[in-house]
Amino acid sequence: MSKVYDIGVLPGDGIGDEVVREALKVLDAIQSVHGFATKREHLPYGAEHFLKTGETMPDVAFDRIRQMHAVLFGAIGDPRIEVGKLEFAIIAGMRHKLDLYVNLRPVKLYHESMCPLKGKTPADIDIVFLRENTEDAYAGIHGTTKKDTDFEIALQQMVYTARGTERIIRHAFETAVKRGPKPGKEKPQVTLIDKANAVRAQDIWTRIFAKVAKEYPGVATDHAYIDAACMWMIKNPDWFDVCVTTNLFGDIITDLGAMLIGGMGIASSGNIHPGKVSMFEGIHGSAPKYKGTDKASPLATILSMGLMLDHVGQPAAAKELEATVASLIQTGRIRSLKAGDHKCSELGSMVRDEFLARAKVRA
Ligand code: IPM
Ligand code: MN
């Protein structure tokens, strides 16, 4: 009997609909080749749903999702709604309520034509970012007093717990062990990225990183402050292998990383609790101006769907999907990821057709 996975499909706002539609089109093809099935349940949350019902994401939705294997997510954000309201309720809502403490963000260059840096090739850019996903400035502890006066005080707490810090650092070392050394290296490497010289509370990261590292003698370690890490990302991205960092710095540096590999149109992510239901999304936003125009790249969502397949237990399908996208880029069939250079639907069909063609060759 073939395996059936329960997948929540949450397209959300803006371009969410079209990029998720393309990812599902590719998923149909993958299922037919790899012999598994999905039961898909539409989750209607986002701006339209909120405007109609006043509801962001209700508890019953989280209860449903807890019964699933994974959620495939499009994007959230709509100019008609107060900044951050839906993002916090839905994206951060899932991250926090489902305890998705790993934000996996691969930064991998498939072809030098996709990189704006002079002379950088795929051999130079193959990084896995592991962003802590439940704490830091995202813990939701903030407030403002004496608003709109000269004496206004605005506060937001950066929160780091021993448990929260240790589990993401441990996951980074485990990821490094699984990945193995990069070509030409003896050991895989984990780099801790923080700002412990200024944000002294991040000393907890320094200490826990050193403690966990002792358990992994087969993994090399490195450290960079976030400001320097941004510089090295441009100057010597090949120095990085697995990187572990705090929630806010991880948010920022992975946008920078996205630009090194072709832009937001190809940057994928997984919000993961190992062994439990997890959520997968492109790291881009909802790009409202492109909604319904068939111009946005669906590759970020398609590759995120690949991370989802790996998570639910279809690693061969995941690997083959990534190889398919890589081959389309390497052979110049996908020329650019700039909005409109290829149609959204065209890119989805290209990936689907190439996936099927490669399967035929193997058969
Ligand atoms: C991301 C996004 C979110 C974040 C926003 C929409 C809250 O930028 O997933 O990177 O800051 O985490
Ligand atoms: Mn972001």
Side-chain angles (χ1 to χ4, degrees), residues 19-57:
V19 294
V20 165
R21 187 184 315 128
E22 296 311 310
L24 293 177
K25 183 159 110 182
V26 175
L27 181 57
D28 288 337
I30 297 177
Q31 291 178 199
S32 73
V33 171
H34 285 262
F36 64 91
T38 51
K39 216 169 90 211
R40 303 172 194 175
E41 182 171 328
H42 180 76
L43 300 165
Y45 308 105
E48 288 305 334
H49 183 84
F50 175 71
L51 291 172
K52 251 190 270 158
T53 65
E55 179 179 79
T56 54
M57 186 133 164

Side-chain angles (χ1 to χ4, degrees), residues 95 105 131 138 248 250-252 254-255 264 283-285:
R95 290 174 184 169
R105 297 188 161 191
R131 164 188 177 190
Y138 288 75
L248 184 58
D251 176 47
I252 298 166
T254 54
D255 269 30
M264 301 310 274
I283 79 170
H284 57 66

Side-chain angles (χ1 to χ4, degrees), residues 7-323:
I7 305 295
V9 177
L10 202 166
D13 304 328
I15 58 170
D17 256 329
E18 50 214 89
V19 294
V20 165
R21 187 184 315 128
E22 296 311 310
L24 293 177
K25 183 159 110 182
V26 175
L27 181 57
D28 288 337
I30 297 177
Q31 291 178 199
S32 73
V33 171
H34 285 262
F36 64 91
T38 51
K39 216 169 90 211
R40 303 172 194 175
E41 182 171 328
H42 180 76
L43 300 165
Y45 308 105
E48 288 305 334
H49 183 84
F50 175 71
L51 291 172
K52 251 190 270 158
T53 65
E55 179 179 79
T56 54
M57 186 133 164
D59 287 344
V60 290
F62 290 103
D63 292 341
R64 277 296 303 139
I65 291 172
R66 283 190 191 93
Q67 311 302 315
M68 297 174 177
H69 293 94
V71 173
L72 183 64
F73 178 88
I76 286 290
D78 186 295
R80 294 170 295 176
I81 293 164
E82 180 194 328
V83 172
K85 186 177 178 79
L86 295 178
E87 291 87 335
F88 196 80
I90 300 176
I91 305 178
M94 280 191 273
R95 290 174 184 169
H96 291 181
K97 292 183 183 169
L98 305 172
D99 200 22
L100 309 177
Y101 65 90
V102 176
N103 196 322
L104 164 66
R105 297 188 161 191
V107 170
K108 185 167 176 178
L109 179 64
Y110 294 118
H111 190 262
E112 56 191 83
S113 62
M114 293 282 157
C115 182
L117 301 179
K118 232 187 325 183
K120 297 295 178 199
T121 69
D124 298 308
I125 304 180
D126 183 2
I127 310 170
V128 174
F129 278 96
L130 296 164
R131 164 188 177 190
E132 199 288 322
N133 213 24
T134 58
E135 303 192 333
D136 196 16
Y138 288 75
I141 304 173
H142 56 88
T144 300
T145 186
K146 302 179 190 163
K147 202 165 177 180
D148 294 329
T149 74
D150 281 354
F151 302 99
E152 178 166 347
I153 300 171
L155 285 176
Q156 183 132 354
Q157 294 298 317
M158 291 171 134
V159 175
Y160 311 107
T161 66
R163 177 175 167 273
T165 306
E166 178 158 345
R167 62 185 181 172
I168 188 68
I169 288 176
R170 196 168 285 286
H171 187 81
F173 279 91
E174 289 294 325
T175 303
V177 169
K178 237 193 249 158
R179 242 164 91 81
K182 282 171 81 165
K185 297 274 177 184
E186 241 170 67
K187 294 176 174 182
Q189 173 179 287
V190 179
T191 302
L192 169 65
I193 298 176
D194 61 41
K195 188 68 189 170
N197 55 347
V199 183
R200 287 304 294 141
Q202 291 183 1
D203 183 58
I204 188 173
W205 282 75
T206 312
R207 283 180 281 115
I208 292 179
F209 186 81
K211 183 188 89 175
V212 174
K214 284 204 187 101
E215 297 173 34
Y216 294 87
V219 178
T221 60
D222 199 3
H223 171 259
Y225 293 124
I226 181 66
D227 48 350
C230 290
M231 176 189 74
W232 293 123
M233 281 276 284
I234 302 296
K235 198 166 184 297
N236 284 98
D238 56 298
W239 286 2
F240 296 107
D241 179 354
V242 175
C243 295
V244 64
T245 190
T246 58
N247 205 339
L248 184 58
F249 296 157
D251 176 47
I252 298 166
I253 199 166
T254 54
D255 269 30
L256 193 160
M259 296 320 291
L260 300 186
I261 59 170
M264 301 310 274
I266 194 168
S268 60
S269 82
N271 298 264
I272 297 171
H273 188 121
K276 288 196 181 168
V277 59
S278 296
M279 184 269 274
F280 298 83
E281 55 169 344
I283 79 170
H284 57 66
S286 61
K289 70 174 175 190
Y290 294 125
K291 179 182 168 68
T293 63
D294 203 17
K295 283 186 175 168
S297 160
L299 290 188
T301 307
I302 290 172
L303 289 170
S304 303
M305 187 261 290
L307 299 176
M308 176 180 92
L309 292 177
D310 192 54
H311 176 76
V312 299
Q314 294 290 335
K319 220 166 155 211
E320 176 55 20
L321 174 59
E322 192 193 4

